[in-house]
Amino acid sequence: MSALTCSISSRASTSAPARRIAGRSASLRPTTRIAAVATTYKVEITHDGKSHVLDVPAGESILSVALDKGLDLPHDCKLGVCMTCPAKLVTGKVDQSGSMLSEDVAEKGYALLCVAQPSTDCKIVTITEDELLEQQFGN
């Protein structure tokens, strides 16, 4: 098996340096780099009567960003199962495909912050666990 070698020769010239790959030389050309811009969403969350605005990167849960920013929100499992981090969407949309909420409850705007990832800017109000359980399971 032959080894692939890559070397850059240093020549004193005004031309671009040469690159040797598998016995062939090629000029090094400047490359254009495109910086990827990470999408973030503004999430206004009202908890205990106080509003907080968070910048939540796409793919991150609202709860994880809120906790990182020092907000003291109720939570437990962080898996979308225990329902201790409930909220109600006032505006916007979230992806919470990992939650245990029934589809009809999610369609009414209820969310579990531990798995809710914004897909638009959002306004959210935290609610009691009892309110969510009433919606999810009824009387």
Side-chain angles (χ1 to χ4, degrees):
M1 180 186 284
S2 64
L4 176 65
T5 59
C6 178
S7 64
I8 299 176
S9 65
S10 57
R11 299 185 267 167
S13 75
T14 58
S15 65
R19 176 187 286 174
R20 287 214 171 281
I21 300 176
R24 296 184 173 185
S25 67
S27 294
L28 292 178
R29 295 187 182 138
T31 59
T32 303
R33 293 184 183 215
I34 300 172
V37 177
T39 302
T40 60
Y41 299 102
K42 293 272 185 216
V43 176
E44 182 181 330
I45 185 164
T46 302
H47 177 64
D48 288 339
K50 295 180 184 177
S51 289
H52 309 273
V53 177
L54 305 172
D55 291 320
V56 182
E60 288 198 37
S61 76
I62 296 168
L63 180 65
S64 66
V65 172
L67 294 175
D68 287 347
K69 297 295 181 187
L71 292 179
D72 185 23
L73 298 176
H75 64 282
D76 191 13
C77 74
K78 296 183 183 177
L79 299 171
V81 178
C82 71
M83 300 191 192
T84 59
C85 58
K88 176 91 177 184
L89 279 164
V90 177
T91 62
K93 294 181 181 179
V94 296
D95 174 9
Q96 56 180 340
S97 52
S99 83
M100 298 296 287
L101 288 182
S102 61
E103 192 174 314
D104 63 319
V105 171
E107 286 173 358
K108 291 178 186 175
Y110 291 93
L112 295 175
L113 296 179
C114 67
V115 293
Q117 299 176 4
S119 50
T120 65
D121 292 344
C122 300
K123 287 187 180 183
I124 295 174
V125 176
T126 60
I127 60 171
T128 66
E129 188 177 351
D130 288 341
E131 181 179 339
L132 179 64
L133 292 174
E134 176 67 30
Q135 289 295 315
Q136 182 77 0
F137 301 113
N139 282 336

